[in-house]
Amino acid sequence: MGVRLVPEPSQWEFPPAESADEHGLVAVGADLAPGTLLAAYRSGLFPMPLGRTDKLGWWSPDPRGVIPLDDLRVTRSLRRSLRRYRITTDVAFADVIDACRTIERPHGWISPDIRDAYVRLHGLGWAHSVEAWSEDGELVGGLYGVSIGGLFAGESMFHVDRDASKVALVSLVGRLNHGGVARLLDVQWATEHMQSLGAVEIPRSEYLARLKTAIKQPSAPWGG
């Protein structure tokens, strides 16, 4: 499972998630120290800059996007793609987040500060990546997120070959299903793309109740 190092507690105290405005914004400011990030996720929040500004927002959208672990949509073509890639975990975390940063997206939000913060969190054992490799040994897809107990808070994913990120997601769900534990796969917003993979929207109140249970559960196995 790997060793997790406990960081210094955050110097900040977040408002309750229920105090979010109509856009899901709870607070602005604070920092990206490991202890701050972990406190935020435990409270149902996640960081994302405000638009194109340097201001750091902390969000708790209502409704919240999650993928039920028993309802991941694996199409026939995706099943064929499962045989095309080699899957690893935590082998190339920095490369995965860098690929998520550089891929062309209309609303890219992974700033250098956010990138470095999650690399630090990975070094402490709290952030993980799943990588998909081509037959030629090239990194062609992957995802990363934060794991606290039975919570996996998915942050971003990328692919340069067909279905590579989806294959990484299938692998992630397999890990989260290990041991029959009631784990929670958070995807923040149920975008059209995420809905095509099985994501659904649940009320914030339900998310917070499930989060409270999930973080008390054993973490998924991350070794190997």
Side-chain angles (χ1 to χ4, degrees):
M1 187 180 298
V3 178
R4 287 183 167 183
L5 303 178
V6 179
E8 291 291 325
S10 177
Q11 63 175 314
W12 307 96
E13 184 174 342
F14 289 105
E18 296 90 344
S19 67
D21 67 14
E22 66 272 22
H23 304 294
L25 182 64
V26 175
V28 177
D31 58 39
L32 290 166
T36 302
L37 285 171
L38 295 179
Y41 284 104
R42 289 187 176 108
S43 301
L45 315 182
F46 59 85
M48 188 172 290
L50 290 173
R52 298 291 181 178
T53 73
D54 293 330
K55 294 181 179 179
L56 185 63
W58 299 88
W59 306 81
S60 179
D62 188 14
R64 186 77 164 230
V66 302
I67 295 181
L69 297 181
D70 293 333
D71 290 331
L72 180 67
R73 292 178 185 167
V74 182
T75 63
R76 185 177 302 174
S77 63
L78 179 52
R79 291 187 186 280
R80 290 194 295 267
S81 294
L82 294 176
R83 300 189 291 270
R84 295 176 52 197
Y85 304 107
R86 180 173 64 91
I87 299 298
T88 58
T89 58
D90 290 341
V91 168
F93 183 92
D95 292 332
V96 169
I97 193 170
D98 286 341
C100 291
R101 281 189 67 201
T102 57
I103 195 167
E104 291 187 6
R105 287 177 174 158
H107 304 291
W109 54 270
I110 304 175
S111 68
D113 287 344
I114 287 179
R115 183 262 188 203
D116 293 345
Y118 283 87
V119 170
R120 287 196 300 271
L121 205 59
H122 170 67
L124 295 173
W126 296 91
H128 298 280
S129 59
V130 181
E131 303 94 9
W133 305 85
S134 70
E135 293 179 354
D136 297 330
E138 297 293 326
L139 179 64
V140 293
L143 58 85
Y144 77 95
V146 176
S147 174
I148 303 175
L151 166 71
F152 188 86
E155 282 296 316
S156 190
M157 58 199 305
F158 85 98
H159 72 278
V160 294
D161 278 5
R162 179 180 177 182
D163 287 343
S165 61
K166 295 179 182 179
V167 170
L169 180 62
V170 171
S171 176
L172 170 66
V173 170
R175 286 180 179 271
L176 296 179
N177 270 322
H178 179 80
V181 174
R183 298 189 177 99
L184 177 61
L185 177 50
D186 170 24
V187 296
Q188 301 175 352
W189 283 283
T191 63
E192 184 177 345
H193 173 65
M194 297 310 299
Q195 288 177 1
S196 73
L197 297 171
V200 299
E201 294 181 330
I202 61 175
R204 180 192 292 124
S205 58
E206 180 181 345
Y207 174 80
L208 294 174
R210 292 175 62 180
L211 172 67
K212 185 177 181 180
T213 298
I215 60 177
K216 297 176 183 178
Q217 305 302 313
S219 173
W222 286 105

